């Protein structure tokens, strides 16, 4: 049979009930108790038990404890035995007669008598003599005292009868007879505890409700919000509208609130207070907030814990319940709760941050102590590098009177995470503030002269003001070819910036590290860092037309270009205006866009960008390397002179490679110098390109053996970088050699690589032995190897 809502994931429990029913049908009576907190699926399990009993031919007596009839003697019994017609034998049992409708008088309260119990047991035995009987009682905790006493005596009366009894008990809820309920639990044959559903159980319930398959991530989100509680999961899924986090389920409120009111008059207020205030508020403080005694509240909290709503430390277990209860309160009610908690916490000596968390949720209080607490909390948060919290506290402090002097302090903290707000507040508080120019640059308003202060790469920056000079020092390390040292320092800078939570510094360090990774041939990492830098800059409000954004776009496009993703690299510049603003980062951006456009077969546009780059550099009275490379001609001479004069190793190696390729065989010396320059740098991709160029030139010169050696180094380096296009080109060169292998040479070489002797090859190909020897000699020469033992790996490289 299909599982009912709330019952999925309960196969073990259902099997246990089925076994008990089978035993009862054979005369081995059982009383099973099923316990669970709010929404655990107890009612669904009992409904399934009723269905199973009916299928097995049992007479089913089912009823539910009623909170409103808990004072009515034998009220539950009357609902169970509604179909029983006892006749005259109950005339001497007025309460039983009244309960079964045989008398118009009301049942009077009082202790249960033995005749009353005897009658009920005899009636049950008579029914069981005809057919097996199943008694299913839900919410037994709300049963009236006489009925509960009868239930607790059942186990000893039915152990040899075909009777199955199942009582469902809601844990943590009040009871008309706690001691009698304990007797029932103690006398039961077995207890089924309905704990939270497993991961697979949650999946089954969610997919049953949605009617479709879902992924593990969605199930994990559902469990995070509602745990494995079937009722909460059903409400969560039914409230789902594209997102799970932060969901509320108003339809859950009637169920929760009615249980809370039954528990204690103050229970709804207590749970609402805990939903708003969180677990850091102690029992005594909550009691004071809601106006009740701590001893009374302690019992309520314990009951809510047993119901599965609260954890052991008093916090709401499920975010769905917390969000729903918070949402039920009006904004004013929530703010009043937070304000009361803030005052109470202050009076009892709580930390400034604990109080501030409540103050940020309140209206302005107009009280001097609130400003002091918020400022103190901001200072402590900033000392712990919790900048976002410090901003929250200071912004809230600005809502209180006499807070104008906090404007500059707020702007300084905002400069870590919100550049536009920082500019507004610092500009108003102190137009000459030293951080203002750097912040304006992030908004595209750069000063007239480019900063040129260079720090010491071996001195870690202690403040954000020292960050840019430090990164400029790393650029010089890259220029000199000290790539590993530059990367290590960029990585350290990123760690420092993350510790500060200074987003502009984080983005700058990511951009610098992206360039180092690209130099080292670690292109995937370079792309990832540049993309993250752009996301971080966007998160702190940097303008798209700013040097910081331009720098990250430059590194991202060049990494993609080196990876062979030309079209994607071209799309990077879609966010850049057609007329690039004249910012400090514009020349580098133009140089990168020029290279990408040329690679995308838009040479005219690319050359225009490169020439524009040169003009802007000259206008600034400075020059840089690399932008001339794609232009060729006399530009290469100027590039070489500049690279040699500045000690720029990678640009010099690149221009030497370009010149060597253009000169062909006569350029071998230049290519060898390029390879030599790159050898100690760790620039894997540049080394692959230079070794490749040298190998081709040596092939053209007929120097096959050294050519093959260079090409093998090149293909290994290209594979290390993951640049498949370059690796394929190198393999094609290895396969071709100076003239390429003929078809006959390939057949002979393939058989020889398999280990066949010359005579065997001649017989297989129907040629003379001398022909095989001549072919192999040519193959060895073309592949640059010395003999047969090197043939197999050489052919694999060439394939």
């Amino acid at each position: 049979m299909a599982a009912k809502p709330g019952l999925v994931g309960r196969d073990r429990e259902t099997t246990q009930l089925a076994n008990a029913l089978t035993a009862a049908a054979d005369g081995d009576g059982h009383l099973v108790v099923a316990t669970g907190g709010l929404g655990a699926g107890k009612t669904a399990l009992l409904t399934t038990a009723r269905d199973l009993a009916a299928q097995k031919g049992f007479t089913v007596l089912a009823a539910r404890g009623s909170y409103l009839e808990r004072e009515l003697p034998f009220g539950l019994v009357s609902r169970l035995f509604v179909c029983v017609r006892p006749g005259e034998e109950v005339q001497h049992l007025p309460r039983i007669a009244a309960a079964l409708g045989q008398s118009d008088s009301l049942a009077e309260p009082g202790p249960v008598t033995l005749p009353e119990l005897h009658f009920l047991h005899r009636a049950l035995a008579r029914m069981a003599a005809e057919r097996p009987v199943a008694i299913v009682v839900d919410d037994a905790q709300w049963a009236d005292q006489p009925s509960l006493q009868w239930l607790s005596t059942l186990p000893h009366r039915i152990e040899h009868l075909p009777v199955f009894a199942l009582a469902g008990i809601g844990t943590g809820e009040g009871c008309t007879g706690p001691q009698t309920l304990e007797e029932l639990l103690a006398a039961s044959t077995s207890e089924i505890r309905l704990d939270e559903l497993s991961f697979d159980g949650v999946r089954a319930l969610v997919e049953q409700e949605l009617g479709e398959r879902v992924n593990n991530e969605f199930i994990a989100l559902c469990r995070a919000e509602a745990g494995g509680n079937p009722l909460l999961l059903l409400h969560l899924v039914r409230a789902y509208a594209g997102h799970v986090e932060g969901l509320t389920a108003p339809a859950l409120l009637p169920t929760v609130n009615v249980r809370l009111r039954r528990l204690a008059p103050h229970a709804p207020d207590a749970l609402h207070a805990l939903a708003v205030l969180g677990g850091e508020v102690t029992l005594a403080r909550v009691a004071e907030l809601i106006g009740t005694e701590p001893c009374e509240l302690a019992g309520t909290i314990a009951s809510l814990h047993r119901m599965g709503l609260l954890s052991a430390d008093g916090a709401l277990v499920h975010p769905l319940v917390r969000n729903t209860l918070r949402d039920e309160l009006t904004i004013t009610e929530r703010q009043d709760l937070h304000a009361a908690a803030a005052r109470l916490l202050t009076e009892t000596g709580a930390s400034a941050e604990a109080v501030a968390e409540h103050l940020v949720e309140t209206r302005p209080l107009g009280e001097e102590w609130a400003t002091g607490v918020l400022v103190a909390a901001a200072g402590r948060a900033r000392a712990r590098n919790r900048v976002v919290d410090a901003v929250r506290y200071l912004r809230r402090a600005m809502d209180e009177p006499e807070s104008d002097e906090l404007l500059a302090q707020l702007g300084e903290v905002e400069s870590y995470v919100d550049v536009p707000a920082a500019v507004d507040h610092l500009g108003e508080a102190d137009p000459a503030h030293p951080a203002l120019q750097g912040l304006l640059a992030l908004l595209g308003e750069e000063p007239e002269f480019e900063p040129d202060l260079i720090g010491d790469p071996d001195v870690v920056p202690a403040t954000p003001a020292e960050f840019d000079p430090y990164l400029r020092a790393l650029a010089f390390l890259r220029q000199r070819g000290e790539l590993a040292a530059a990367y290590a320092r960029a990585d350290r800078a990123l760690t420092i910036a993350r510790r500060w939570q200074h987003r502009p510094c984080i983005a700058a360090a990511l951009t610098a590290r992206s360039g180092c990774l690209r130099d080292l041939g670690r292109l995937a990492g370079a792309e990832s860092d540049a993309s993250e830098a752009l996301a971080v800059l966007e998160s702190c409000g940097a303008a798209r037309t700013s040097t910081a954004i331009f720098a990250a776009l430059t590194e991202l496009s060049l990494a993609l270009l080196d990876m062979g993703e030309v079209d994607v690299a071209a799309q990077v510049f879609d966010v850049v205006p057609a007329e690039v603003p004249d910012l400090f980062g514009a020349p580098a951006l133009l140089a990168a866009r020029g290279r990408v456009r040329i690679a995308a077969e838009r040479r005219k546009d690319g050359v225009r960008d490169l020439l524009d780059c040169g003009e802007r550099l000259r206008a600034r009275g400075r020059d840089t390397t690399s932008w001339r490379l794609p232009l060729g001609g006399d530009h290469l001479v100027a590039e070489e002179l500049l690279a040699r004069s500045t000690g720029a190793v990678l640009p010099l190696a690149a221009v030497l490679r370009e010149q060597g390729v253009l000169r062909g065989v006569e350029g071998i010396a230049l290519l060898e110098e390029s390879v030599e320059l790159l050898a100690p740098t760790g620039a894997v991709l540049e080394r692959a390109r230079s070794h490749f160029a040298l190998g081709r030139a040596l092939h053209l010169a007929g120097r096959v053996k050294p050519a093959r050696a260079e090409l093998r180094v090149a293909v290994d380096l290209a594979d290390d970088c993951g640049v498949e296009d370059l690796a394929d080109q190198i393999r094609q060169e290895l396969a071709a050699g100076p003239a390429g292998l003929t078809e006959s040479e390939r057949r002979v070489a393939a058989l020889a690589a398999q280990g066949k002797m010359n005579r065997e090859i001649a017989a297989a190909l129907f040629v003379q032995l001398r022909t095989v020897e001549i072919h192999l000699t040519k193959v060895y020469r073309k592949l640059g190897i010395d003999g047969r033992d090197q043939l197999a790996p050489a052919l694999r490289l060439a394939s």
Side-chain angles (χ1 to χ4, degrees):
M1 62 182 292
K4 298 180 180 299
L7 187 62
V8 292
R10 302 297 190 192
D11 293 342
R12 177 179 58 82
E13 292 83 353
T14 304
T15 300
Q16 186 175 345
L17 292 178
N19 292 337
L21 282 165
T22 300
D26 293 335
D28 183 11
H30 283 72
L31 170 63
V32 179
V33 173
T35 60
L38 176 66
K42 174 173 51 65
T43 298
L45 183 68
L46 268 63
T47 302
T48 297
R50 291 171 54 183
D51 293 342
L52 287 172
Q55 291 173 14
K56 290 178 179 290
F58 280 69
T59 297
V60 179
L61 306 181
R64 187 171 196 156
S66 171
Y67 177 80
L68 297 178
E69 294 184 1
R70 63 193 185 281
E71 302 298 333
L72 178 64
F74 291 109
L76 177 68
V77 166
S78 71
R79 292 190 293 278
L80 282 173
F81 287 88
V82 67
C83 59
V84 177
R85 299 185 179 278
E88 296 181 357
E89 59 184 313
V90 298
Q91 291 179 359
H92 64 289
L93 301 173
R95 292 196 305 178
I96 296 292
L100 298 180
Q102 302 298 312
S103 169
D104 293 333
S105 62
L106 293 176
E108 295 293 333
V112 178
T113 65
L114 288 178
E116 290 172 331
L117 291 177
H118 185 60
F119 166 78
L120 292 173
H121 291 314
R122 285 180 58 198
L124 180 61
R126 284 198 302 270
M127 295 179 67
E130 299 176 5
R131 290 173 62 191
V133 177
I135 300 173
V136 181
V137 176
D138 198 1
D139 285 334
Q141 73 277 4
W142 296 126
D144 58 278
Q145 177 68 13
S147 295
L148 197 56
Q149 283 184 256
W150 171 71
L151 277 176
S152 67
T153 62
L154 269 183
H156 306 297
R157 291 286 189 156
I158 65 174
E159 57 185 351
H160 298 302
L161 293 177
V163 176
F164 165 77
L166 174 63
I169 298 174
T171 55
E173 300 192 44
C175 178
T176 53
Q179 293 181 343
T180 309
L181 193 64
E182 289 178 4
E183 289 286 344
L184 176 63
L185 285 167
S188 63
T189 307
S190 60
E191 180 181 354
I192 297 175
R193 296 178 184 271
L194 294 175
D195 298 320
E196 291 200 336
L197 296 176
S198 65
F199 189 90
D200 290 338
V202 173
R203 175 190 296 282
L205 188 148
V206 170
E207 290 180 348
Q208 176 179 276
E209 185 67 17
L210 290 177
E212 61 183 13
R213 295 284 297 173
V214 294
N215 57 36
N216 289 343
E217 182 181 359
F218 183 78
I219 297 301
L221 288 173
C222 291
R223 287 194 85 193
E225 292 295 309
N229 184 289
L231 177 67
L232 300 186
L233 285 166
L234 286 172
H235 280 284
L236 176 77
V237 174
R238 289 166 185 171
Y240 174 68
H243 65 90
V244 174
E245 299 94 330
L247 267 182
T248 62
L252 182 65
L253 288 171
T255 301
V256 173
N257 285 333
V258 72
R259 298 298 178 96
L260 293 177
R261 285 192 293 271
R262 289 175 181 176
L263 193 61
H266 60 260
D269 290 339
L271 205 59
H272 281 93
L274 290 169
V276 172
L277 306 178
E280 87 280 354
V281 183
T282 64
L283 176 68
R285 289 167 179 167
V286 174
E288 185 170 345
L289 282 173
I290 65 174
T292 190
E293 293 298 322
C295 57
E296 293 181 11
L297 182 60
T300 302
I301 295 296
S303 295
L304 291 171
H305 173 58
R306 291 194 296 273
M307 289 173 69
L309 293 176
L310 297 182
S311 63
D313 60 0
L316 279 155
V317 174
H318 304 107
L320 178 67
V321 177
R322 182 179 65 245
N323 297 335
T324 301
L325 290 171
R326 281 176 56 90
D327 195 60
E328 184 184 22
L329 297 172
T330 66
I331 293 177
T332 301
E333 288 172 331
R334 287 201 298 270
Q335 289 179 337
D336 289 346
L337 266 175
H338 282 295
R343 292 187 178 93
L344 182 59
L345 289 171
T346 301
E347 293 169 1
T348 54
S351 70
E353 288 155 291
V355 179
E357 282 299 323
H358 293 290
L359 288 174
V360 295
E361 300 292 340
T362 66
R363 300 180 300 275
L365 302 182
E367 300 174 20
E368 186 176 344
W369 67 268
T371 305
V373 167
L374 288 163
V375 172
R380 294 188 63 177
R382 191 172 180 183
R384 297 174 183 177
N385 293 319
R386 290 169 44 209
V387 180
V388 174
D389 289 335
V391 169
R392 289 170 53 234
Y393 300 151
L394 287 174
R395 285 178 175 173
R396 173 62 183 81
M398 292 297 298
D399 294 334
E400 297 294 339
E402 306 298 328
S403 57
D404 293 345
E405 64 275 10
L406 299 177
L407 195 58
Q409 185 179 347
L410 173 60
E412 289 176 3
V413 181
E414 285 176 329
S415 69
Y416 283 56
V417 293
D418 188 345
V419 173
V423 168
D424 287 344
H425 293 146
L426 284 178
E428 181 180 348
D430 182 8
H433 196 284
L436 201 52
Q437 289 302 316
L439 294 171
L440 287 170
L442 287 166
L443 299 181
E445 301 178 26
E446 295 183 332
E448 184 177 353
F449 297 104
E450 182 174 2
D452 56 3
L453 179 64
I454 299 175
D456 186 339
D458 295 321
V459 177
V460 177
T463 66
E466 299 172 7
F467 215 75
D468 282 343
Y470 180 78
L471 295 182
R472 281 193 285 274
L474 302 192
F476 274 88
L477 290 179
R478 289 177 59 191
Q479 187 178 30
R480 296 199 300 265
E482 299 178 35
L483 304 185
Y487 169 77
R489 287 162 174 78
D491 191 56
R492 180 169 57 184
L494 179 57
T495 301
I496 294 168
R498 289 195 194 281
R499 188 184 307 133
W500 292 342
Q501 292 190 6
H502 193 291
R503 294 181 188 175
C505 287
I506 291 171
L510 283 166
T511 302
R513 194 174 73 169
S514 174
C516 294
L517 288 169
R518 183 169 55 82
D519 287 343
L520 292 166
R522 294 161 59 180
L523 303 179
E527 179 203 3
S528 176
D529 275 2
S531 298
E532 186 181 351
L534 288 168
V536 172
L537 286 167
E538 182 177 355
S539 74
C540 67
R544 286 188 174 181
T545 53
S546 64
T547 287
I549 292 284
F550 282 4
L553 290 173
T554 297
E555 292 300 340
L556 177 60
S557 65
L558 292 176
L560 290 167
L561 180 62
D562 285 345
M563 295 167 72
E565 302 284 349
V566 178
D567 292 339
V568 182
Q571 293 171 7
V572 166
F573 300 105
D574 290 347
V575 299
V576 179
E579 292 296 325
V580 179
D582 192 19
L583 303 175
F584 297 145
L589 180 82
L590 287 166
R593 191 172 74 175
R595 285 184 56 190
V596 171
R597 284 178 167 177
I598 290 173
E601 300 182 354
R602 295 174 57 189
R603 183 168 182 81
K604 185 176 180 180
D605 292 334
V607 169
R608 185 185 301 114
D609 278 342
L610 294 171
L611 295 176
D612 189 6
C613 167
E615 289 177 6
R616 297 195 190 204
L617 288 172
R618 283 191 293 273
R620 293 180 180 274
R622 53 175 300 186
D623 200 355
T624 62
T625 55
S626 300
W627 67 269
R628 299 175 180 82
L629 272 180
L631 296 175
D634 294 339
H635 291 282
L636 296 182
V637 177
E639 178 75 8
E640 180 184 355
L641 291 173
L642 181 59
R644 290 190 186 280
S645 66
T646 58
V649 174
L650 266 61
L652 179 57
V655 74
L656 291 174
R657 181 176 64 241
E658 194 71 22
Q659 290 174 326
V661 169
L662 291 175
R663 296 183 186 183
V665 174
E666 296 177 357
I668 289 177
L670 294 173
L671 294 171
E672 289 175 337
E673 184 181 356
S674 176
V675 167
E676 184 179 354
L677 282 169
L678 292 170
T681 64
V684 181
L685 182 56
E686 288 299 296
R687 289 183 61 207
R689 288 168 173 161
S690 291
H691 280 284
F692 180 29
L694 178 56
R696 295 180 71 175
L698 290 170
H699 258 168
L700 291 173
R703 297 165 58 184
V704 178
K705 192 169 183 178
R708 309 295 291 182
E710 295 295 335
L711 292 172
R712 289 190 190 100
V713 172
V715 76
D716 288 342
L717 293 170
D719 283 337
D720 287 345
C721 295
V723 184
E724 296 180 2
D725 290 346
L726 178 60
D728 289 342
Q729 292 176 38
I730 300 170
R731 288 191 175 91
Q732 290 172 13
E733 182 69 23
L734 277 166
L741 298 179
T742 66
E743 187 61 33
S744 297
E745 291 167 350
R746 287 185 180 278
R747 287 198 297 269
V748 170
L751 292 171
Q754 295 173 16
K756 294 186 180 300
M757 303 303 292
N758 289 2
R759 291 187 182 278
E760 293 176 303
I761 297 171
L765 298 178
F766 302 102
V767 297
Q768 297 295 320
L769 179 61
R770 178 60 179 164
T771 302
V772 173
E773 292 171 349
I774 293 172
H775 282 332
L776 283 176
T777 299
K778 292 180 178 179
V779 167
Y780 296 157
R781 176 175 57 80
K782 290 182 178 181
L783 294 181
I785 60 178
D786 295 324
R788 187 184 297 262
D789 59 335
Q790 302 174 31
L791 190 55
L795 287 174
R796 280 197 300 271
L797 277 174
S799 62

